[in-house]
Amino acid sequence: MTDEQPSEIPLPDGEEQTGPAEQASIYASLSRRAAAVARRLTDDAGRAATLGRDTVAGVGGRAATLGRDAFAEVGERAQRMWAAEDPATILASPAFSPFPGGGPPPEMLSIAWRADALVGLSAMGVTVWEREIVTVTRSVFHDGLRHQELSRRLFGSDYDAIHRWIDTVPGSGIRGGGIVHRLQHGHDLAAAQALYEQHGLSGLLVWMQHVGQDLATPTGIPIPMGGAGFADWLVQAGHATPGKAALMLSFNAAELAASVLGGAFALRLAALAAELRRQRQVARRCAAAREAWSRGDL
C-alpha cells in the first residue's frame, strides 16, 4: 500500500479525464446528495416513530376504555346481586306493567278510529250506491270514449281487429252482445295470453284498455280464470241460468272498490282483535306473576 493519492477520478471508458477542480466539484456534489439522502432518511425515521407512538397510544387508550367499562359493568352487576330486593320497585318494572298508564294519547286513538270508520263507511257507501256509481263510470269511461277512439288516442291506432276479436264469441259471428259474451270469450287471462302471442306487447296493452273500459260498466268483467267452465257447470247442474251465472261470476268497478275497502276494513278489525287478545293474555300473565310474587313463589 502506497501513500500516493490518485490525482484523477477514474471515469468510464470513452469519457475524458477531468482536472483537480472538476474533481473537487464532483466530490462536493456527491457530498451534498449524500447529506440530502441522510436528511430524508432521518425525516422518514422520525415520521415512523411518531406514527408508531400514536398507534400504540390509540390502541392502549381504547383498551383502557374497554377495560374500565367492563369493570364498571361487573361492579354494577355485583351490586345488584348483593342489594336487597325492593318488591315495590320490582312490581313497578316493565316486566309487570308492560303497558304505559293511560294507554296511547286520546288524539292518536281518535285519528285511528276515524280512519278505520272512514274505510268501513266507504265500503258500505260504495255497496249501497253501486248502481249510481257504475252509471257514472259507464258514461264517462265506456260510452263517452269507445274502445277504438281511446286506442287511437293512447296508441295512435284504433286496433279495431283486436277489439272485434275480444267482443266476438267464436262461431257466433256477432260482435258484442248481452252479459254472457264477456264470460264466454275474450275477457279473461287466456285471451290476454293469446293476444300477446299474436300481437306482442301492443296486443296485451289493447286488451288491458278494453277490459278496463268494460270494468266501468254495470255488468263488469268476468273473473280472470275459470269463469266459463264454472258457468257451464252452474247452468248444466240447473243452479242458474246463463245470465245469472254470468252475473255471479263477474264484477264491476264499484264492486271491486267495495271489495278492496271491505277487505282493508276486515284486516284492520282482525288486527285490532289480535292486539286486544294479546293485551288480555299479557295482563293475565302479569296478574299471575304479581300474585306469585306476593306469595313468595317467584
Side-chain angles (χ1 to χ4, degrees):
M1 182 173 180
T2 62
D3 295 333
E4 296 180 358
Q5 300 294 332
S7 59
E8 296 180 350
I9 297 176
L11 298 177
D13 294 340
E15 296 290 337
E16 186 177 348
Q17 297 291 335
T18 60
E22 289 79 0
Q23 293 180 10
S25 176
I26 292 173
Y27 280 128
S29 177
L30 293 176
S31 298
R32 287 193 297 273
R33 293 179 182 176
V37 171
R39 284 195 300 272
R40 286 197 295 271
L41 291 176
T42 302
D43 293 341
D44 292 341
R47 284 193 293 271
T50 301
L51 181 60
R53 286 195 301 272
D54 294 342
T55 302
V56 172
V59 173
R62 287 193 293 272
T65 302
L66 293 176
R68 287 194 300 269
D69 294 342
F71 279 114
E73 184 178 357
V74 171
E76 291 178 358
R77 291 185 177 181
Q79 184 178 3
R80 289 195 298 268
M81 290 176 60
W82 290 102
E85 293 180 341
D86 184 8
T89 303
I90 294 176
L91 291 177
S93 64
F96 290 93
S97 301
F99 306 111
E107 295 80 5
M108 294 182 60
L109 289 177
S110 177
I111 294 174
W113 280 110
R114 287 177 184 175
D116 296 338
L118 180 60
V119 173
L121 291 176
S122 299
M124 293 177 59
V126 172
T127 302
V128 171
W129 288 294
E130 175 188 345
R131 179 175 300 178
E132 290 77 9
I133 292 173
V134 295
T135 299
V136 174
T137 56
R138 176 177 183 173
S139 62
V140 174
F141 298 106
H142 188 272
D143 297 342
L145 283 175
R146 308 302 295 178
H147 295 306
Q148 293 81 355
E149 178 62 24
L150 184 57
S151 294
R152 188 179 298 109
R153 294 188 182 185
L154 293 177
F155 312 118
S157 176
D158 58 11
Y159 288 101
D160 184 67
I162 295 180
H163 291 298
R164 183 184 301 107
W165 182 87
I166 293 175
D167 278 336
T168 303
V169 178
S172 67
I174 302 175
R175 182 172 182 172
I179 61 177
V180 181
H181 82 281
R182 294 177 183 174
L183 183 63
Q184 293 177 337
H185 174 74
H187 293 74
D188 56 0
L189 293 181
Q193 181 180 0
L195 288 174
Y196 180 76
E197 293 175 352
Q198 295 177 9
H199 303 278
L201 182 59
S202 60
L204 179 61
L205 293 177
V206 172
W207 177 86
M208 294 174 63
Q209 171 236 316
H210 187 112
V211 172
Q213 287 184 276
D214 288 346
L215 180 65
T217 62
T219 304
I221 59 175
I223 58 177
M225 298 179 62
F230 191 37
D232 291 340
W233 177 81
L234 289 175
V235 173
Q236 293 175 4
H239 298 298
T241 63
K244 289 185 177 180
L247 289 176
M248 292 170 57
L249 299 174
S250 301
F251 60 94
N252 55 38
E255 292 171 339
L256 178 62
S259 299
V260 173
L261 293 173
F265 185 65
L267 289 176
R268 175 58 186 165
L269 290 181
L272 180 61
E275 178 63 19
L276 293 176
R277 180 174 177 270
R278 187 186 70 86
Q279 291 187 10
R280 286 196 299 268
Q281 290 178 347
V282 173
R284 287 197 299 268
R285 293 174 182 176
C286 290
R290 285 194 295 269
E291 183 181 357
W293 177 267
S294 64
R295 297 196 309 266
D297 192 26
L298 184 62

